[in-house]
Amino acid sequence: MIAAILPPQAYLIESYLETTLLTLDVPEVDAHAARLEELKGQYLPRRDYWKHDSGLDAQLKEGITGESDSAAQAFWTAVETKLIPAARARDAAAVQAAYVEVQAAYAEHRKAVDATVAAATDYAAKVEKEAAARDALLHLIIGLGTTLAFAVPLGG
């Protein structure tokens, strides 16, 4: 799961970089806007995948489809309704104001992703510990069964 969160599809780091480049390279607004549209097109299916994955732990599912996605939607709204139109209008003050909003949404998204990654790491450690305990119990049962299988014929 961690590997599926952190690539650009579910983690807006590349999209955030693209918005930063847009603020620095306004003449190329159409190229940046196209790349942002492409990145959003990668984000949405990944988000939907996690939203409909019924096998995912509820806390992890909420982290990636709830808090993280709410901030991501605020990010995309600011990009599409404020930043890109301001850049196309060559309105430097509006670009900077929109970028502040984009930064805030990204910061919330990153905070939620970081918390989800930490929770996923803890969950993986818990599952691994439980699997090791089950494995040890299974080995004990097999060992006892084997001992009994040899002991019974010898005793009789």
Side-chain angles (χ1 to χ4, degrees):
M1 177 185 175
I2 294 169
I5 294 171
L6 292 180
Q9 291 86 359
Y11 188 30
L12 299 182
I13 193 163
E14 189 174 346
S15 302
Y16 180 62
L17 171 63
E18 198 64 42
T19 63
T20 302
L21 293 173
L22 172 62
T23 66
L24 300 173
D25 189 19
V26 171
E28 295 297 322
V29 65
D30 290 334
H32 294 296
R35 179 66 180 138
L36 284 161
E37 185 177 332
E38 179 183 338
L39 290 167
K40 184 178 180 184
Q42 294 171 3
Y43 171 81
L44 293 174
R46 178 56 54 187
R47 184 237 11 227
D48 291 344
Y49 169 80
W50 289 114
K51 196 175 271 194
H52 303 301
D53 178 9
S54 60
L56 189 60
D57 175 78
Q59 178 188 2
L60 299 178
K61 188 173 189 175
E62 174 57 28
I64 199 65
T65 63
E67 298 170 45
S68 168
D69 183 54
S70 294
Q73 295 311 312
F75 174 90
W76 291 118
T77 298
V79 166
E80 294 170 347
T81 65
K82 296 178 182 175
L83 182 63
I84 292 173
R88 284 193 170 125
R90 306 284 197 260
D91 183 341
V95 165
Q96 288 309 308
Y99 187 63
V100 167
E101 193 172 326
V102 166
Q103 286 176 308
Y106 173 76
E108 286 301 310
H109 170 74
R110 180 178 178 155
K111 184 172 127 183
V113 167
D114 290 348
T116 302
V117 168
T121 301
D122 291 346
Y123 179 76
K126 176 184 157 201
V127 168
E128 185 177 339
K129 185 177 178 181
E130 289 171 356
R134 281 191 304 273
D135 189 45
L137 180 61
L138 182 60
H139 279 83
L140 177 64
I141 291 169
I142 290 171
L144 289 173
T146 303
T147 302
L148 284 174
F150 282 110
V152 170
L154 293 175

